[in-house]
């Protein structure tokens, strides 16, 4: 009996040792970089990688392209292609119909709201209301949220951008902090959603770099400098990448978008801001090499959307192009609907993100049938030759439109936030501020100029390479999560790209 008992104990010990070895093996398999850095360049068309290539230095975009893995055919698969939606979709791997960020502004409980507005929180670092923001309107997790969960919330996640939405939405719900500029003070701020007071390193940064006007910051290379230096300050101040737990930093450069809206895609100012950004990226990568370790961090660079070429420029060269004034069209449509239904109450709330928002309260109060009002709106809008298609968003599956356009409308439609009727413009037509088209540009539609974005990974375990295989904006989160061995965000619909690896 004793021999059998001894044998049993030895057997159990052997099994326990084997199990421990297996557990240790699983722990080792969760191989991760020290730091993940997600970089978004606001309004960066994919072709800017090549348009300014000869002007770039060796350490910025060229380094990404030579040392990294380049997904050349990455497309946005929804509309509207705007900042809040783009940043959310990149880091959630999802689309507006799932993550709920249906625009920079969208309808919520019958009222148009700003994507990050949150009256339940207060400003930190400023006396203005610029800090009353949070990610609460976002319905899904981000890469950072999933990294937090995977590390039992030991990982640190921080977001930085001049724009509030470009700092808040990428960082996610459980972030340690998100920092953006208060344009009235020229300093970085945050909200009580994250903390009660600015950390010392952020206050020190503001004393050194803050105090300039919005024009000096957001429309000049100084904004690139501030963003990059704030990113470096966050790495140092929070100790990102300095322990055994993987951390994440999200960085969005906004000056490219601010300037692009003013001067469009082919101006000297656009060339200058991208050449300057290239220098800032080179400096940031050098800082990461020195302070985190070359090959010890994973960085990816992408964009939230592209931009249309200026209509006047295209017209000068015989290319069809034009624009429409959303406010004017909304007013004319409203007058038409009032006449048709014999009422004297506003029926069109607005046109936003190329969508018509009907006033549902008015429709109910007047005992009108919503379907009848939508049908009348579609029929009136279809008479305008600038609109390729006009569709009832609840009946998009039945619309006779190209499948690629239908898919992007469906992906972008959130039934409680996205309006009633979608307007699809002819190519090279976009929303303008007045009947006189100026020298600027905008974005928001399905076409390649707005939806073809860069996506490059570099650093930890990534070998040089490229692919022209079809990739979507949703695949970015799926790919990053696969590389660092964490579950993809809970609304992710993307697929991991087969990235060349040097394990």
């Amino acid at each position: 009996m004793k021999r059998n008992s001894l044998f049993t104990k030895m057997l159990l010990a052997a099994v326990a040792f084997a199990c421990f070895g297996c557990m240790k093996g699983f722990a080792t398999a969760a191989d991760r970089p020290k730091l993940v850095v997600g970089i978004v360049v606001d309004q960066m068309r994919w072709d800017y990688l090549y348009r300014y290539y000869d002007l770039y230095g060796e350490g910025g975009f060229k380094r990404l392209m030579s040392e990294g893995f380049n997904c050349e055919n990455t497309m946005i698969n929804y509309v509207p292609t705007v900042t809040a939606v783009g940043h959310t979709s990149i880091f959630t791997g999802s689309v507006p119909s799932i993550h709920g960020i249906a625009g920079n502004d969208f309808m919520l409980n019958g009222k148009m709201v700003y994507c990050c507005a949150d009256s339940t929180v207060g400003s930190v670092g400023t006396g203005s209301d610029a800090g009353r923001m949070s990610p609460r309107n976002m319905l899904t997790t981000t890469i950072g949220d999933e990294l937090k969960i995977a590390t039992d919330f030991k990982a640190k996640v921080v977001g930085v951008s001049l724009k509030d939405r470009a700092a808040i939405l990428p960082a996610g719900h459980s972030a340690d902090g998100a920092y953006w500029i208060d344009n009235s003070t020229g300093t970085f701020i945050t909200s009580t959603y994250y903390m009660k007071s600015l950390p010392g390193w952020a206050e020190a940064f503001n004393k050194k770099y803050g105090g300039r006007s919005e024009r000096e910051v957001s429309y000049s290379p100084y904004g690139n400098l501030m963003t990059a230096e704030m990113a470096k300050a966050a790495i140092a101040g929070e100790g990102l990448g300095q322990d055994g737990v993987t951390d994440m930093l999200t960085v969005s450069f906004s000056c490219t978008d601010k300037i692009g809206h003013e001067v469009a895609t082919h101006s000297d100012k656009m060339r200058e801001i991208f050449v300057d950004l290239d220098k800032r990226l080179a400096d940031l990568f050098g800082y990461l090499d020195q302070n985190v370790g070359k090959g010890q961090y994973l960085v990816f660079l992408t964009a939230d959307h592209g931009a249309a070429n200026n209509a006047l420029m295209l017209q000068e060269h015989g290319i069809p192009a034009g624009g429409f004034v959303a406010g004017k069209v909304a007013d004319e449509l409203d007058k038409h609907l009032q006449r048709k239904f014999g009422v004297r109450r506003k029926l069109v709330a607005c046109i936003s993100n190329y969508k018509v928002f009907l006033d549902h309260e008015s429709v109910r109060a007047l005992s009108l049938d919503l379907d009848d009002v939508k049908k009348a709106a579609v029929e009136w809008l279809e008479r305008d030759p600038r609109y390729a298609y006009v569709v009832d968003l609840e009946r998009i599956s039945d619309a006779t439109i190209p499948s690629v356009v239908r898919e992007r409308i469906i992906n972008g439609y959130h039934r409680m936030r996205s309006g009633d009727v979608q307007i699809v413009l002819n190519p090279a037509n976009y929303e303008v501020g007045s009947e006189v088209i100026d020298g600027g540009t905008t974005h928001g539609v399905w076409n390649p100029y707005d939806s073809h974005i860069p996506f490059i990974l570099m650093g930890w375990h990534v070998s040089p390479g490229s692919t022209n295989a079809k990739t979507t904006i949703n695949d970015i989160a799926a790919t990053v999560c696969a590389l660092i061995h964490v579950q993809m965000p809970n609304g992710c619909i993307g697929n991991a790209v087969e990235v060349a690896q040097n394990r």
Side-chain angles (χ1 to χ4, degrees), residues 322-327 351-354 425 429-433 441-443:
F324 87 117
V325 183
I351 293 179
S352 178
N353 295 321
Y354 304 96
L425 299 175
N429 282 257
Y430 51 82
E431 183 178 348
V432 294
T441 188
T442 190
H443 48 85

Side-chain angles (χ1 to χ4, degrees), residues 57 139 153 177 211 240 262 342 350 354 370 375 377 381 415 462 468:
L139 304 177
F153 297 91
L240 301 182
E262 282 199 344
C350 65
Y354 304 96
L370 180 61
K375 182 180 179 182
L381 289 164
R415 68 180 184 86
V462 175
N468 280 306

Side-chain angles (χ1 to χ4, degrees), residues 7-219:
F7 176 77
T8 301
K9 289 180 179 178
M10 291 174 65
L11 181 61
L12 290 172
V15 171
F17 181 79
C19 290
F20 175 77
C22 291
M23 291 171 64
K24 187 176 180 181
F26 283 127
T28 303
D31 187 19
R32 296 184 181 121
K34 292 182 178 180
L35 179 64
V36 179
V37 182
I39 299 174
V40 182
V41 183
D42 205 322
Q43 203 187 116
M44 182 176 180
R45 292 165 51 117
W46 162 83
D47 60 344
Y48 288 173
L49 288 172
Y50 300 97
R51 181 179 300 173
Y52 308 126
Y53 186 85
D54 291 341
L55 301 175
Y56 294 146
E58 297 302 318
F61 287 114
K62 282 185 177 179
R63 178 178 172 184
L64 281 168
M65 296 170 74
S66 62
E67 294 184 15
F69 189 87
N70 192 352
C71 298
E72 298 271 19
N73 190 24
T74 302
M75 305 295 290
I76 295 173
N77 58 348
Y78 56 77
V79 288
T81 46
V82 295
T83 297
V85 186
H87 282 81
T88 306
S89 299
I90 290 165
F91 289 90
T92 65
S94 194
V95 290
S97 62
I98 297 171
H99 62 58
I101 301 300
N104 293 335
D105 301 275
F106 49 82
M107 191 72 71
L108 188 61
N109 299 322
K111 296 180 179 180
M112 291 298 291
V113 300
Y114 178 63
C115 57
C116 292
D118 188 346
S119 61
T120 70
V121 301
S123 298
V124 174
T126 180
S128 76
D129 288 338
R132 303 193 71 184
M133 306 286 172
S134 84
R136 286 193 172 112
N137 286 330
M138 182 169 61
L139 304 177
T140 58
T141 60
T142 62
I143 301 171
D145 289 325
E146 295 298 333
L147 179 61
K148 284 273 195 179
I149 294 169
T151 60
D152 292 327
F153 297 91
K154 295 174 183 175
K156 284 188 175 182
V157 178
V158 177
V160 171
S161 179
L162 299 183
K163 291 183 179 181
D164 48 42
R165 57 188 180 271
I168 293 168
L169 298 170
H173 297 279
S174 59
D176 296 273
Y179 303 91
W180 58 92
I181 284 286
D182 180 349
N183 290 320
S184 67
T185 62
T187 55
F188 275 95
I189 63 171
T190 188
S191 88
T192 55
Y193 179 88
Y194 305 99
M195 63 195 73
K196 294 181 179 179
S197 60
L198 285 177
W201 63 263
E203 291 182 339
F205 179 91
N206 283 334
K207 289 179 181 177
K208 182 176 181 180
Y209 291 99
R212 298 200 180 196
S213 69
E214 179 182 5
R215 194 77 202 172
E216 291 175 295
V217 174
S218 295
Y219 295 83

Side-chain angles (χ1 to χ4, degrees), residues 461-475:
H461 287 352
V462 175
S463 293
S466 66
T467 180
N468 280 306
K470 181 181 178 181
T471 309
T472 73
I473 192 172
N474 310 134
D475 297 335

